[in-house]
Amino acid sequence: MMLPRQTSLSFSVYSDLYDKLIPRDNKLHQLNDLVDFTFVYDELSSRYCQTNGRVAIDPVRVFKYLLLKVIFDLSDVDVVDRSRYDLSFKYFLDLAPEDDVLDASTLTRFRRQRLKDMNLLDLLVSKTVSLARSRGVLEGKAIILDATHTLSRYNLYSARVALQGRLRHLQSTIRQAPLPAGEINDILSTVSPGETLEQTRAACTSLVQRVRSHGGLSSLPLVNERVNLLEETLEDVKDSVSFSVDKEARVGHKAVNKSFFGYKTHVAMTSNGIITAALVTTGEKADGQYLEPLVERSVENGMEVDTVIGDMAYSGRDNIMYATGHDVQLVSRLNPVLDGVRGETGFVYNKDEAMMVCPAGHLAYKECYLKPEGNKNARRVYFFDVKRCKECPLCEGCYKEGARKKTFSVMIKSDEHVEQRKFQETGVFRANARLRPRVEAKFAQLKNVFGYDRAVSCGLDCMSMQGAITIFAANML
Ligand code: SF4
């Protein structure tokens, strides 16, 4: 498709209606006045053919549809439908009042074909930051770091439940097959899902084999489809005890005894609420390891940074050393167990639950303190549920077969971070630390106003795209 190069309003005898009916302080009117959306052409020009094909729908207009969808938290179909009769939408889209709207499927194609594999998140955040800088609203030299979670569009099931669901579907399809009742009963009578994962797996494998070897059944397209799905699920749960349609989402922890299944968005924000950098990851990732990329992206986007404010998750030794080396004040309270834990071992301290998380994402169920002995430092020991370890695909080198308990211990280095501890007691630290809760208001806006509490699609790329458009809208409005 060829790329069109015009966004001007087509002539219409009804255009005066916009002046009469849409006030200057309407937020879509203001957004249109504030942002020059032609950057969309420059970024997307390589994704269109410049010489051949039909003229494509104006990419700026399609991008604006996506913005409207996020700003008003609407589905693809609903945003197109509302654009048909809402004059402020039509004005924002540079349509004449009597112009027709596009087909909702164009939005899906635009996301899949034009925006895919593009670093939209960095691009849109940097656009809004440069706009904020040019308007003089980029306040101070301090950035606040934190992460917020977004639930996956799909739930997480145990492998046994997922297999049982697929098995039931296949059984009910077989029951409707045009075969003698006795033959169908004969095939199904030997299959019983059982109570454990292994028994369910065996039942599924046995039914798949029986159907495959039965000429009549395997020639039926619907039966074949269900068998293929069951085989695919068997393959998916080979190395895992859980299953979800969204294969990239992961379990993370947000509070004591409270977990979520989905993604995390790590952000850096100025004290007046402009997001200067953002990163989208799967849900299990620890917040602290993203301090460096967030600071560097903020600087690349034109922010001068001399203070980084964050919760205890950001006070690891690597972050303290990074801040010292870059002449940045780190306003983050120390946690005695943070030091030396992440990295090589894969065990990560979760600040929300005040508990250790293992590489498989399971939370320790208890901890104890071991007093220092002789030359040995004090240690904190964390206990993990061995029932999970026995079924864990990562048990090699972590859990010894037959062991009755699985523990992980951390040395408490009381003399490390002396400078940081002194800084913690100063008035400057306390004054900056008081700015940190402002980031929670921004997260509330992302979730409650722009629907960022749940992913609209599957996978990390789609989540990142959703994050990009949401943050763009949140920074602009
Ligand atoms: S073996 Fe146990 S502690 Fe180790 S990663 Fe697996 S579940 Fe976690």
Side-chain angles (χ1 to χ4, degrees):
M1 282 208 178
M2 280 207 311
L3 187 65
R5 266 275 176 186
Q6 67 91 27
T7 53
S8 59
L9 272 175
S10 46
F11 174 75
S12 164
V13 287
Y14 303 112
S15 292
D16 283 353
L17 286 174
Y18 288 141
D19 296 332
K20 292 193 172 109
L21 298 178
I22 302 172
R24 290 235 154 243
D25 59 357
N26 173 281
K27 68 178 167 185
L28 293 181
H29 200 306
Q30 286 178 330
L31 192 57
N32 231 11
D33 291 349
L34 196 62
V35 186
D36 176 8
F37 285 98
T38 50
F39 72 86
V40 176
Y41 285 121
D42 303 329
E43 297 303 328
L44 292 182
S45 60
S46 62
R47 288 162 189 256
Y48 289 84
C49 176
Q50 303 296 331
T51 50
N52 289 314
R54 267 190 304 132
V55 176
I57 297 174
D58 183 353
V60 170
R61 185 168 293 148
V62 189
F63 181 76
K64 285 182 171 182
Y65 271 103
L66 294 181
L67 266 183
L68 287 173
K69 175 180 155 62
V70 167
I71 295 170
F72 294 91
D73 197 9
L74 298 169
S75 68
D76 285 1
V77 172
D78 289 337
V79 76
V80 170
D81 191 42
R82 185 158 162 191
S83 304
R84 211 180 293 279
Y85 59 81
D86 189 321
L87 274 190
S88 66
F89 275 36
K90 281 207 155 158
Y91 174 79
F92 182 65
L93 293 166
D94 293 321
L95 288 169
E98 71 276 24
D99 280 351
D100 201 5
V101 291
L102 50 65
D103 190 274
S105 62
T106 308
L107 297 180
T108 315
R109 281 204 303 280
F110 185 74
R111 274 193 297 262
R112 289 208 185 127
Q113 294 170 5
R114 312 296 176 202
L115 298 185
K116 197 167 179 280
D117 301 330
M118 193 179 157
N119 197 350
L120 197 64
L121 186 58
D122 278 352
L123 172 73
L124 294 188
V125 173
S126 86
K127 286 284 166 208
T128 52
V129 175
S130 70
L131 197 64
R133 207 177 56 241
S134 67
R135 304 253 157 177
V137 290
L138 214 52
E139 204 172 82
K141 294 183 181 176
I143 51 171
I144 307 168
L145 307 189
D146 206 348
T148 186
H149 70 278
T150 303
L151 299 179
S152 165
R153 185 183 165 99
Y154 297 94
N155 289 335
L156 182 70
Y157 300 101
S158 77
R160 192 167 69 88
V161 171
L163 282 174
Q164 282 179 344
R166 295 274 193 241
L167 186 64
R168 270 199 303 278
H169 278 143
L170 177 57
Q171 285 172 324
S172 77
T173 312
I174 293 174
R175 276 191 202 101
Q176 290 158 21
L179 291 176
E183 205 175 324
I184 291 179
N185 287 341
D186 180 42
I187 293 169
L188 296 180
S189 61
T190 53
V191 180
S192 134
E195 302 225 320
T196 65
L197 176 57
E198 280 321 307
Q199 288 168 341
T200 310
R201 265 197 192 125
C204 294
T205 314
S206 135
L207 186 60
V208 168
Q209 283 166 355
R210 292 208 71 168
V211 174
R212 290 271 185 240
S213 59
H214 191 288
L217 276 178
S218 59
S219 63
L220 297 171
L222 192 56
V223 172
N224 239 332
E225 206 175 274
R226 295 273 153 93
V227 172
N228 289 343
L229 273 177
L230 182 57
E231 273 187 324
E232 198 180 293
T233 312
L234 273 168
E235 194 56 36
D236 284 343
V237 300
K238 215 172 181 177
D239 301 320
S240 168
V241 289
S242 51
F243 172 85
S244 171
V245 174
D246 189 347
K247 294 189 174 44
E248 292 181 32
R250 291 288 177 274
V251 174
H253 301 278
K254 55 181 179 176
V256 179
N257 298 329
K258 216 170 171 192
S259 60
F260 69 94
F261 178 64
Y263 300 90
K264 265 187 182 179
T265 305
H266 306 263
V267 303
M269 188 194 91
T270 60
S271 55
N272 63 336
I274 307 282
I275 293 177
T276 55
L279 269 161
V280 176
T281 66
T282 47
E284 86 289 9
K285 296 281 191 281
D287 302 359
Q289 65 200 85
Y290 294 97
L291 178 139
E292 187 177 332
L294 286 174
V295 173
E296 284 180 1
R297 284 181 195 201
S298 298
V299 172
E300 277 166 27
N301 287 340
M303 176 77 193
E304 262 186 80
V305 179
D306 69 0
T307 305
V308 174
I309 304 164
D311 56 27
M312 276 197 279
Y314 297 93
S315 62
R317 187 167 58 182
D318 293 351
N319 288 342
I320 294 176
M321 284 163 62
Y322 173 82
T324 313
H326 289 78
D327 216 8
V328 169
Q329 278 184 334
L330 180 60
V331 180
S332 167
R333 284 203 172 274
L334 290 175
N335 189 310
V337 293
L338 269 175
D339 189 34
V341 176
R342 69 176 66 96
E344 327 80 54
T345 62
F347 284 80
V348 176
Y349 184 73
N350 184 299
K351 45 106 185 162
D352 294 318
E353 301 231 23
M355 198 51 91
M356 196 65 72
V357 180
C358 77
H362 299 306
L363 210 63
Y365 66 87
K366 74 168 183 178
E367 64 166 328
C368 73
Y369 175 77
L370 288 187
K371 285 184 187 163
E373 272 179 32
N375 285 340
K376 289 187 182 167
N377 282 329
R379 303 187 81 82
R380 209 172 283 276
V381 184
Y382 296 88
F383 294 78
F384 292 87
D385 184 354
V386 285
K387 275 193 229 139
R388 285 177 161 165
C389 297
K390 283 177 187 164
E391 292 186 330
C392 175
L394 307 177
C395 62
E396 204 181 320
C398 186
Y399 170 72
K400 203 168 153 197
E401 209 179 322
R404 288 167 56 195
K405 61 181 179 183
K406 164 68 199 164
T407 59
F408 182 80
S409 65
V410 181
M411 196 195 303
I412 302 170
K413 297 176 179 173
S414 53
D415 319 324
E416 298 267 354
H417 311 109
V418 175
E419 289 303 316
Q420 184 71 8
R421 275 214 178 88
K422 280 189 203 156
F423 177 46
Q424 230 170 258
E425 304 310 320
T426 63
V428 176
F429 184 99
R430 280 197 285 270
N432 278 307
R434 278 197 282 273
L435 300 175
R436 205 198 72 73
R438 293 186 185 184
V439 75
E440 304 297 346
K442 195 72 188 173
F443 289 159
Q445 184 198 18
L446 294 179
K447 291 181 177 188
N448 301 336
V449 180
F450 300 117
Y452 201 58
D453 50 341
R454 190 168 276 275
V456 293
S457 194
C458 247
L460 194 57
D461 282 349
C462 292
M463 188 65 236
S464 191
M465 207 182 288
Q466 185 183 348
I469 298 175
T470 307
I471 290 171
F472 182 83
N475 268 358
M476 295 312 304
L477 295 171

